[in-house]
Amino acid sequence: MRFRPFEMERWQSLWENRVRYNLSESGVSPFSLSELSELTGTDPAGTVLGYGHTEGSPLLRERIAALYPGATPEEVLVTSGSAEANFVACWSLIEAGDRVVIVTPTYGQTPGLAESLGAEVVELPLEEDRGWQPAPGAAASAIGPGTRLVVITNPNNPTGAVLTPSSMAEIIEAAERAGAWILADEVYRGAELAGPETESLWDGARRVIVTASLSKAYGLPGLRIGWLVADRGFRDEVWARKDYTTITPSVLCDRLATAALETENRAKILARTREILVRHLSILDAWAAAHAEVLRYRPPDAGAIALFGYDLPVGSAELAERLKGERDTLLVPGIHFGLEGHFRVGFGYSEEQLRGGLEALSSLLSELTETRIASSP
Ligand SMILES: Cc1ncc(COP(=O)(O)O)c(C=O)c1O
């Protein structure tokens, strides 16, 4: 197996704990253990630290299944974050030479894995001037006969956009015609800024694998609880593969996740997320309006992430390096998503982090704008 480094995760792993302002995060301010215990009325102190159920405890799987109409606990596998769910799904499905269609831009995990597993990766692009939707007819041409797998991240990272029903219908129809599996990474579902939760692909397609976790919409990335939902046969196959990776979720985290997903607790947690997102997006909106001469963006439908396009004579990697080196602030350069001339800002952490990071970014943008003016004929 070849190995392609996961650029964005490397960038974050190296720098996120070293900078003054971190605008690279894609979730909301995480709960502390005591806040979560208080909100859910759970005292974790008496938990017996054994191995637990390797596929996730029955009650946790029951609560996860309840999020997907018609799903049963036997169709759920609890994993270490959605990252492990995506990994075991790709590892099970992709053989060298397989055609894998990936809706892009996206989080770099599945493209990197597919390439490392020897697949022929075909992109199905979301277009900025269509509000980050695919062009009509693009799904049918990309998802040709012999396609093994179609990967969708919905709501999307890095754009924060949700696929419209017609975009979704085109993708599903093309995948079903080709007999392809769909892997739907729905880790940002539940973090919508307004309106109801994004519809899960579980409802709409037949050969579908849904992955998600408590990391983004729930503010609980440190629990490392994710899941995969698929028909029983596929679920059992990936469960057997998980014996080779992490074996089992932490029994302590399984317990806390079970409490977080109890109906009323879940509603409270998601309401907290929305309150943070809405409050912080108004700060970001005002900041973006003040930089409209050089920046463009479409406010996200979901997630604590906003993708900006910029009109400045500097590559996104250099812009991000300078922001880090000269102003102690981290964001994600667009090039990590294959999008030059863009950067992604995470706006879900503390207000102090957001305001400080945006101020640092403003000062770099002013400097870059002055350089542009000085060098124009
Ligand atoms: C689309 C997407 N999928 C998966 C992950 C992995 O997250 P986790 O393993 O914490 O669920 C991320 C993290 O940023 C992501 O953006």
Side-chain angles (χ1 to χ4, degrees):
M1 181 176 157
R2 285 177 287 171
F3 169 68
R4 183 177 121 183
F6 189 163
E7 273 186 309
M8 187 191 85
E9 287 295 344
R10 279 287 80 214
W11 172 250
Q12 289 187 278
S13 297
L14 287 171
W15 299 109
E16 66 189 341
N17 296 310
R18 294 163 73 174
V19 289
R20 172 77 184 85
Y21 298 111
N22 182 7
L23 300 182
S24 75
E25 270 301 330
S26 55
V28 292
S29 281
F31 281 92
S32 70
L33 179 57
S34 52
E35 285 167 338
L36 181 65
S37 301
E38 195 181 317
L39 185 142
T40 59
T42 316
D43 177 6
T47 311
V48 175
L49 299 175
Y51 270 115
H53 294 260
T54 71
E55 76 276 45
S57 65
L59 186 55
L60 177 54
R61 285 184 293 109
E62 188 183 310
R63 288 184 177 166
I64 294 168
L67 307 177
Y68 304 93
T72 65
E74 290 69 38
E75 291 172 312
V76 174
L77 179 70
V78 177
T79 55
S80 178
S82 55
E84 188 189 26
N86 289 333
F87 178 83
V88 284
C90 288
W91 183 27
S92 300
L93 282 174
I94 302 173
E95 303 265 333
D98 278 347
R99 181 185 171 91
V100 174
V101 176
I102 303 189
V103 178
T104 57
T106 190
Y107 182 62
Q109 185 189 12
T110 45
L113 266 177
E115 196 186 301
S116 298
L117 290 162
E120 176 205 349
V121 176
V122 176
E123 293 192 23
L124 169 52
L126 301 171
E127 297 190 359
E128 186 167 7
D129 54 8
R130 295 180 193 275
W132 297 112
Q133 302 295 318
S141 13
I143 307 170
T147 302
R148 171 75 171 148
L149 175 67
V150 178
V151 183
I152 301 174
T153 302
N154 193 50
N156 181 268
N157 174 9
T159 67
V162 170
L163 287 170
T164 61
S166 64
S167 301
M168 191 63 101
E170 280 200 31
I171 294 171
I172 294 171
E173 197 189 312
E176 291 191 344
R177 205 176 319 113
W181 282 89
I182 302 179
L183 172 59
D185 180 334
E186 299 182 351
V187 75
Y188 293 95
R189 180 173 177 240
E192 291 74 15
L193 277 115
E197 262 176 54
T198 305
E199 226 171 281
S200 172
L201 212 82
W202 180 259
D203 284 343
R206 266 175 290 144
R207 300 183 88 200
V208 68
I209 301 148
V210 171
T211 58
S213 79
L214 296 182
S215 298
K216 313 297 178 187
Y218 299 81
L220 295 167
L223 292 184
R224 305 308 299 133
I225 291 287
W227 55 86
L228 170 151
V229 191
D231 72 54
R232 177 96 195 248
F234 187 79
R235 196 291 306 243
D236 285 351
E237 192 187 325
V238 285
W239 182 14
R241 287 180 182 244
K242 201 170 81 93
D243 294 344
Y244 280 108
T245 56
T246 58
I247 306 175
T248 181
S250 140
V251 75
L252 178 61
C253 297
D254 183 309
R255 170 135 188 254
L256 293 165
T258 306
L261 287 176
E262 184 275 326
T263 309
E264 275 179 29
N265 294 339
R266 178 175 186 267
K268 281 190 225 162
I269 291 170
L270 295 185
R272 168 190 180 270
T273 298
R274 184 169 289 192
E275 190 279 323
I276 296 172
L277 292 177
V278 170
R279 185 159 42 85
H280 288 196
L281 188 63
S282 71
I283 299 170
L284 190 67
D285 264 337
W287 179 85
H291 293 86
E293 256 181 48
V294 287
L295 296 184
R296 56 182 194 283
Y297 100 124
R298 177 188 178 277
D301 301 319
I305 41 179
L307 185 68
F308 287 86
Y310 62 82
D311 177 22
L312 288 165
V314 61
S316 63
E318 185 186 336
L319 183 147
E321 273 296 341
R322 285 188 59 181
L323 188 68
K324 170 172 71 65
E326 297 166 15
R327 287 167 175 85
D328 218 2
T329 298
L330 198 70
L331 50 64
V332 180
I335 197 69
H336 287 180
F337 302 101
L339 284 177
E340 198 39 284
H342 291 76
F343 56 78
R344 191 192 78 177
V345 167
F347 62 88
Y349 268 37
S350 73
E351 204 172 308
E352 184 259 344
Q353 281 282 313
L354 177 61
R355 289 191 189 278
L358 291 179
E359 208 173 296
L361 189 49
S362 288
S363 110
L364 178 62
L365 292 176
S366 307
E367 199 176 302
L368 291 167
T369 308
E370 278 161 29
T371 319
R372 180 180 66 173
I373 294 166
S375 62
S376 61

